[in-house]
Amino acid sequence: MGSAIADVAARAGVSKATASRALSGKGYVAEATRKRVVQAAEEIGFVASPNAASLVTGKTKNIGVVIPFINRWFFGEILEAIEEALLNSGFDMTLYNLHPGSAERDRVFNFFLARKRFDGVIAVGVEPTAEEAGRLLRLGIPMVSVGAPVPGIRSLTIDDVAAARVATEHLLGLGHRRVLHIGGHVADPAENTVHNLRLAGYRQAMFAAGLASEARATQTTMSVPGGYDAGTHALSDATSRPSAIFAACDEIAIGVIIAARRIGIRVPGDLSVIGIDGHEYAEMFSLTTIEQRPREQGLAAVTDLLSAVGGEPCAPEVVDMPARLVVRASTAHVGVVADAV
Amino acid sequence: MGSAIADVAARAGVSKATASRALSGKGYVAEATRKRVVQAAEEIGFVASPNAASLVTGKTKNIGVVIPFINRWFFGEILEAIEEALLNSGFDMTLYNLHPGSAERDRVFNFFLARKRFDGVIAVGVEPTAEEAGRLLRLGIPMVSVGAPVPGIRSLTIDDVAAARVATEHLLGLGHRRVLHIGGHVADPAENTVHNLRLAGYRQAMFAAGLASEARATQTTMSVPGGYDAGTHALSDATSRPSAIFAACDEIAIGVIIAARRIGIRVPGDLSVIGIDGHEYAEMFSLTTIEQRPREQGLAAVTDLLSAVGGEPCAPEVVDMPARLVVRASTAHVGVVADAV
DNA sequence: TTGAAAGCGCTAACAT
DNA sequence: ATGTTAGCGCTTTCAA
């Protein structure tokens, strides 16, 4: 049952210290003793208590992850990548799903994360405030942010403005003039920043093309049903219908395509749609998209954080991940058109 | 920085013991003292070290969760519900994403979960073996299983055979005779059990209707693209085409519907499709489905587990969650047709 | 109602 | 190469 390292030591006929050294691999132990200790440990099914170890070493081998959504493709991918990378390095991942605008936020940042239970924290798409970030850093808990630039801590983002510009330019390059932008809800704090950046990129491109007066933007939930509703509405009137749509994320884009086909509009053909994310459904819907490669972002976040946990502080700067525009036709991947960054 | 309870005690002019009692609310403390201690704690930003507390109490306030997928709708919903319920009860959730057939499985069950870091374990859709379950139980770590019956531990499932039977009967009741079943891959351990149960229910219904010779079943990945591929294939030949399809999950069903509409087959109309899960996209696709209500399953799992953690062992039996057949037409919810259990 | 002291299981000096 | 000792920060008897 609750076997302790003392039991292992007794069984192997050594002291607790030697047993500890033998099992952890730190410090000098004779090969023969090491074997005896390891075997004794296996025989009684000993697994060290990480709590006791943490108490003395100050390291927990546990990373806290905060994320606003689990069940949206982009976030799910990041989460899978983070979990996998952490597990490979022997770290646990403790997950907090911070619903946008939730009252739990304070409790999570000031209680759950502020305890000495974590070697580091990864915040995905939550944009920690200066106070939230500062408190953790003062406690000696390094933090990296993914998807939201936070002053003073390392942040991994794509250049959302540039990506949106490239997306819009792609549609303009196809000869479109009536390009509608469908973005996320400004009211939603978790979507606000990214929404505004992508909207800005769209406006820049429209302006640069001398089409400022043609710029039109609507908002919806960043989800397939959200895109479906917005698409149904935007495409209902055949005379005022846009010929192209730049959706702020692939889920909206997919919803738009479903709505369009429902109405009898061919996509691509009658309507060009471009999204951002690189959603796994993109090929199925012949969707042109700007790949954001969430798995790479998650992996990079872990790498950066663990280097800070390991002692080397990583530069607290905003690092833009490469994104790329991918055009797909039917179910075939046609190629990389441009780097968005 | 690393403020300890001794600092709080000193600041409040009491002993560590009194400070501990005041902050935890256990044991007698004069109201005036309690206030002083709480204030002192706030002033220096004290948050107790859970590791130190765990070491003496044996409780960690931390639950391990094992799940095969994060980025599939059904699993994501369960996960969100579990996380929310645990957080509300003051528990941390440490997540292990156990890819089906992965070599990590041993390490997760025998090392990560077997340490004294968890008060309990929730296994979602992973079907722990008798050894895996037994080891944890012997360590005094209670476990509940969701979505897979495990002998000896409490398991929450829907009655998959009954649900599949009801689904098939629904199509037969609509007058269909050529009902195709599209299931998951048998080779995939994480889908094997559920696939077989649903296939069995389909066969039962076909047999009972005297249509055993009409029974046809194919397999694909349990995903939208998987359903799209299988649907494209199954519907390509207009003469041998089924008039109805029972998909083993909503993601397959949605893929089938997309494929059908691509080909020009109206759904519903030319083809009836039914799935299982209650996916959030169901309405958008006019999909008839059997709701499995993942959030309720997640919540029930937490409730059951925490009661065991709290001391009351819960019966190690298989409990079937209610599932229900929901028919949707256009975007309107028409009603509950039957209870699947 | 409070304090003193013991100890949870482990690791890290320091001795040997 | 191994053992001895002293805690890590907290909770919990047991006395007062």
Side-chain angles (χ1 to χ4, degrees):
Chain A
M1 180 85 96
S3 64
I5 202 172
D7 305 331
V8 177
R11 195 167 233 271
V14 296
S15 69
K16 286 198 304 175
T18 303
S20 173
R21 281 188 286 251
L23 294 172
S24 69
K26 295 174 197 294
Y28 299 103
V29 188
E31 183 53 23
T33 8
R34 201 191 59 78
K35 279 208 181 105
R36 250 188 309 134
V37 172
V38 168
Q39 194 190 339
E42 271 174 9
E43 282 169 11
I44 62 177
F46 169 80
V47 180
S49 157
N51 290 325
S54 299
L55 203 52
V56 36
T57 62
K59 295 294 170 203
T60 62
K61 284 289 199 175
N62 192 188
I63 301 294
V65 174
V66 195
I67 202 164
F69 312 101
I70 292 176
N71 224 343
R72 290 197 187 179
W73 181 83
F74 181 76
F75 292 96
E77 289 293 300
I78 288 196
L79 215 46
E80 287 193 354
I82 290 176
E83 193 274 343
E84 186 175 345
L86 287 176
L87 196 67
N88 283 340
S89 301
F91 281 77
D92 282 338
M93 177 181 86
T94 298
L95 184 63
Y96 299 98
N97 182 201
L98 217 56
H99 306 88
S102 148
E104 301 291 350
R105 182 168 179 131
D106 263 16
R107 226 169 114 239
V108 168
F109 272 99
N110 296 324
F111 173 68
F112 283 102
L113 292 177
R115 301 165 302 165
K116 281 249 155 253
R117 184 165 259 182
F118 302 113
D119 288 343
V121 167
I122 299 177
V124 183
V126 296
E127 212 162 346
T129 65
E131 290 77 30
E132 289 165 345
R135 168 142 203 206
L136 293 183
L137 295 187
R138 249 173 283 121
L139 286 168
I141 301 175
M143 168 153 112
V144 329
S145 166
V146 181
V150 179
I153 72 167
R154 189 168 190 82
S155 311
L156 303 173
T157 63
I158 61 161
D159 184 337
D160 281 296
V161 177
R165 216 185 313 113
V166 170
T168 310
E169 284 165 358
H170 174 74
L171 296 175
L172 296 174
L174 258 33
H176 293 288
R177 289 297 168 264
R178 305 178 71 172
V179 179
L180 171 69
H181 173 62
I182 303 181
H185 279 305
V186 175
D188 189 333
E191 297 177 353
N192 191 18
T193 302
V194 73
H195 164 80
N196 284 331
L197 294 174
R198 292 176 184 177
L199 177 58
Y202 162 78
R203 287 205 174 121
Q204 282 183 13
M206 292 298 276
F207 185 84
L211 294 168
S213 64
E214 288 291 339
R216 299 277 183 286
T218 64
Q219 296 174 200
T220 189
T221 311
M222 284 209 179
S223 67
V224 175
Y228 182 84
D229 291 342
T232 302
H233 185 258
L235 300 169
S236 57
D237 181 3
T239 64
S240 66
R241 190 180 286 169
S243 69
I245 292 178
F246 162 44
C249 71
D250 282 345
E251 273 150 319
I252 292 178
I254 290 165
V256 166
I257 292 175
I258 295 170
R261 291 183 180 160
R262 255 291 171 79
I263 298 174
I265 300 171
R266 283 172 309 133
V267 185
D270 302 334
L271 178 73
S272 294
V273 179
I274 188 168
I276 292 183
D277 272 359
H279 196 291
E280 59 177 342
Y281 294 180
E283 275 197 30
M284 213 175 58
F285 284 98
S286 304
L287 175 63
T288 302
T289 179
I290 296 195
E291 288 192 347
Q292 237 189 106
R293 288 176 285 194
R295 304 197 82 94
E296 286 177 32
Q297 293 194 32
L299 184 58
V302 171
T303 305
D304 286 0
L305 184 66
L306 292 193
S307 83
V309 168
E312 312 314 318
C314 49
E317 59 196 17
V318 177
V319 178
D320 278 323
M321 304 286 298
R324 56 174 191 178
L325 178 60
V326 174
V327 178
R328 299 168 195 278
S330 181
T331 63
H333 175 170
V334 166
V336 174
V337 167
D339 277 344
V341 174
Chain B
M1 193 73 95
S3 64
I5 201 171
D7 304 332
V8 177
R11 194 166 236 272
V14 296
S15 70
K16 287 197 305 175
T18 304
S20 173
R21 282 188 286 253
L23 294 172
S24 70
K26 294 175 196 295
Y28 298 103
V29 188
E31 184 54 23
T33 340
R34 202 192 58 77
K35 279 209 180 103
R36 248 186 312 133
V37 172
V38 168
Q39 194 189 337
E42 271 174 9
E43 283 168 9
I44 63 177
F46 170 80
V47 180
S49 157
N51 291 325
S54 299
L55 204 51
V56 32
T57 62
K59 294 294 169 203
T60 62
K61 285 287 199 176
N62 192 188
I63 301 294
V65 174
V66 194
I67 201 163
F69 311 101
I70 292 176
N71 224 343
R72 290 197 188 177
W73 181 81
F74 181 76
F75 292 96
E77 288 294 299
I78 288 196
L79 216 45
E80 286 192 354
I82 289 177
E83 193 275 344
E84 185 175 347
L86 287 177
L87 196 69
N88 284 340
S89 301
F91 281 77
D92 283 337
M93 177 182 85
T94 298
L95 184 63
Y96 299 98
N97 182 200
L98 217 56
H99 306 87
S102 148
E104 301 291 352
R105 182 168 179 134
D106 263 17
R107 224 170 114 238
V108 168
F109 271 99
N110 295 322
F111 172 69
F112 283 102
L113 292 177
R115 301 165 301 165
K116 281 249 155 250
R117 184 165 259 181
F118 301 113
D119 288 342
V121 168
I122 299 177
V124 182
V126 295
E127 211 164 345
T129 65
E131 291 76 31
E132 289 164 347
R135 167 143 203 205
L136 294 181
L137 296 186
R138 250 174 282 120
L139 286 167
I141 303 176
M143 165 153 114
V144 328
S145 167
V146 180
V150 179
I153 73 168
R154 189 168 189 83
S155 311
L156 304 172
T157 63
I158 61 161
D159 184 337
D160 282 296
V161 177
R165 217 187 311 116
V166 169
T168 310
E169 284 165 358
H170 174 73
L171 295 175
L172 295 174
L174 257 35
H176 293 287
R177 289 299 168 260
R178 305 178 70 174
V179 178
L180 171 70
H181 173 62
I182 303 181
H185 279 305
V186 175
D188 189 334
E191 296 178 354
N192 192 15
T193 302
V194 71
H195 164 80
N196 284 331
L197 295 174
R198 292 178 185 175
L199 177 58
Y202 162 77
R203 288 206 172 118
Q204 283 182 12
M206 292 298 276
F207 185 85
L211 293 169
S213 64
E214 288 289 339
R216 299 277 184 286
T218 65
Q219 297 174 201
T220 189
T221 311
M222 283 208 177
S223 67
V224 175
Y228 181 83
D229 291 342
T232 301
H233 186 257
L235 300 169
S236 57
D237 181 4
T239 63
S240 66
R241 191 179 284 167
S243 69
I245 292 177
F246 161 44
C249 71
D250 282 344
E251 274 151 318
I252 291 178
I254 289 165
V256 166
I257 293 175
I258 295 170
R261 290 184 181 158
R262 255 293 172 78
I263 298 174
I265 300 171
R266 284 172 307 132
V267 185
D270 302 334
L271 178 73
S272 294
V273 179
I274 187 167
I276 292 183
D277 272 358
H279 196 290
E280 60 178 338
Y281 294 0
E283 276 196 29
M284 213 175 58
F285 284 98
S286 305
L287 174 64
T288 303
T289 179
I290 297 197
E291 288 191 348
Q292 236 190 108
R293 289 177 285 195
R295 304 197 82 94
E296 287 176 32
Q297 293 194 33
L299 184 58
V302 170
T303 305
D304 286 0
L305 184 66
L306 292 193
S307 83
V309 168
E312 311 314 317
C314 50
E317 60 196 17
V318 177
V319 178
D320 278 321
M321 304 286 298
R324 54 174 193 178
L325 177 60
V326 174
V327 178
R328 299 168 196 279
S330 180
T331 64
H333 175 169
V334 165
V336 174
V337 166
D339 276 343
V341 174

